[in-house]
Amino acid sequence: VLRDVTLPIRQRAITAIVGPSGCGKSSLLLCLNRLIDLVPQASVTGRVTWGDRDVFSAATDVVTLRRQVAYIQQKPTPFPLSIARNLELPLLELPELSRSERAQRAEQALRDVDLWDEVRQRLQAPAQTLSGGQQQRLCLARALVLRPSVLLLDEPCSALDPLATGVIEQLLVKLKTTLTIVLVTHQLAQARRIADDAAVLYRERDAGRLVEQGPVAQLFASPQHPLTAAYVHGHTL
């Protein structure tokens, strides 16, 4: 699926991974917290390092890794439970917290995604009664409640209308002050608006590979690789 990808990711910045469909963007994202382990017959060679840790080391505690490197899917996926219960369930992984501490964490996570004022009077309502944009923000809050260091997002706005997309984008810009964010997107305009860095993947012969990376402004204004230039200008090769 992927070959010859070496990609440094800056801390407390948004890195956008862009490229045509089928070039391996989502597969790359799944490698970063080992969700790729759940794909039948998938294997990974090489290394993914996070700080001084080798993500694919046999010594890595995968549950802890996924708490700290959280993943948000393309389609909002709230649990078929109440709004409050969606936040309570992940907190059961932290039995050392008191009930009041869990409640404080849940409220803070909802505040962090600007959802608290919209749902505080209906926390026991089913999460599916929220709008699509609110559901995606709830999924963000559900990840944030465990206080991760990294957020991985796979096309988080593709199922949302422009207004809801704008809200999510503003949230990501705010969250990058404390989190490292890796965003897979097909929307080049979105990458321009909110990303600090970008990586362009392109499928050549039998695998996707990294063709260019760098600061967003530089990469879009002065692409160095012909494939990058063609892609950002809407041409095909």
Side-chain angles (χ1 to χ4, degrees):
V1 175
L2 289 162
R3 180 181 291 119
D4 300 330
V5 176
T6 299
L7 176 63
I9 296 171
R10 275 201 290 158
Q11 288 186 318
R12 296 188 178 182
I14 298 176
T15 298
I17 300 175
V18 301
S21 296
C23 66
K25 300 185 298 296
S26 295
S27 295
L28 177 58
L29 204 67
L30 294 177
C31 291
L32 301 184
N33 71 348
R34 286 184 54 177
L35 281 172
I36 197 73
D37 292 359
L38 305 179
V39 178
Q41 300 181 344
S43 62
V44 177
T45 59
R47 294 198 311 152
V48 175
T49 58
W50 175 34
D52 59 356
R53 285 165 281 193
D54 181 351
V55 166
F56 282 94
S57 166
T60 296
D61 183 327
V62 177
V63 173
T64 300
L65 171 70
R66 292 176 187 157
R67 287 181 195 164
Q68 297 174 332
V69 184
Y71 175 82
I72 305 295
Q73 297 187 73
Q74 181 174 3
K75 181 180 178 182
T77 54
F79 300 140
L81 303 166
S82 70
I83 296 167
R85 192 63 177 161
N86 266 266
L87 299 176
E88 291 167 357
L89 277 180
L91 287 170
L92 294 177
E93 296 294 319
L94 303 175
E96 69 274 13
L97 296 179
S98 67
R99 178 177 295 182
S100 63
E101 287 172 328
R102 290 197 293 270
Q104 289 170 4
R105 281 231 193 168
E107 178 179 336
Q108 186 58 54
L110 290 171
R111 289 186 182 278
D112 287 343
V113 300
D114 294 336
L115 195 56
W116 174 251
D117 289 338
E118 299 173 35
V119 302
R120 60 186 302 178
Q121 301 300 327
R122 50 175 178 146
L123 290 173
Q124 301 309 316
Q128 278 78 7
T129 62
L130 298 173
S131 69
Q134 288 174 323
Q135 288 186 29
Q136 192 66 302
R137 281 188 282 154
L138 178 63
C139 293
L140 269 172
R142 191 176 62 198
L144 294 176
V145 80
L146 292 176
R147 298 183 178 172
S149 300
V150 181
L151 273 181
L152 311 176
L153 301 109
D154 192 357
E155 300 258 14
C157 302
S158 65
L160 306 181
D161 62 50
L163 288 177
T165 294
V167 172
I168 295 293
E169 290 181 356
Q170 291 173 13
L171 286 173
L172 295 181
V173 171
K174 181 176 73 171
L175 290 171
K176 77 173 183 179
T177 60
T178 57
L179 293 170
T180 299
I181 296 175
V182 185
L183 169 72
V184 165
T185 180
H186 275 110
Q187 301 177 37
L188 294 182
Q190 182 175 73
R192 288 177 186 265
R193 285 193 298 268
I194 68 171
D196 301 288
D197 300 318
V200 181
L201 299 184
Y202 217 96
R203 188 171 182 85
E204 290 189 309
R205 295 185 295 276
D206 61 342
R209 69 180 184 89
L210 178 67
V211 296
E212 191 167 347
Q213 60 182 290
V216 162
Q218 174 185 315
L219 189 144
F220 280 88
S222 304
Q224 301 301 301
H225 196 287
L227 288 173
T228 306
Y231 184 66
V232 301
H233 292 115
H235 303 149
T236 57
L237 290 178

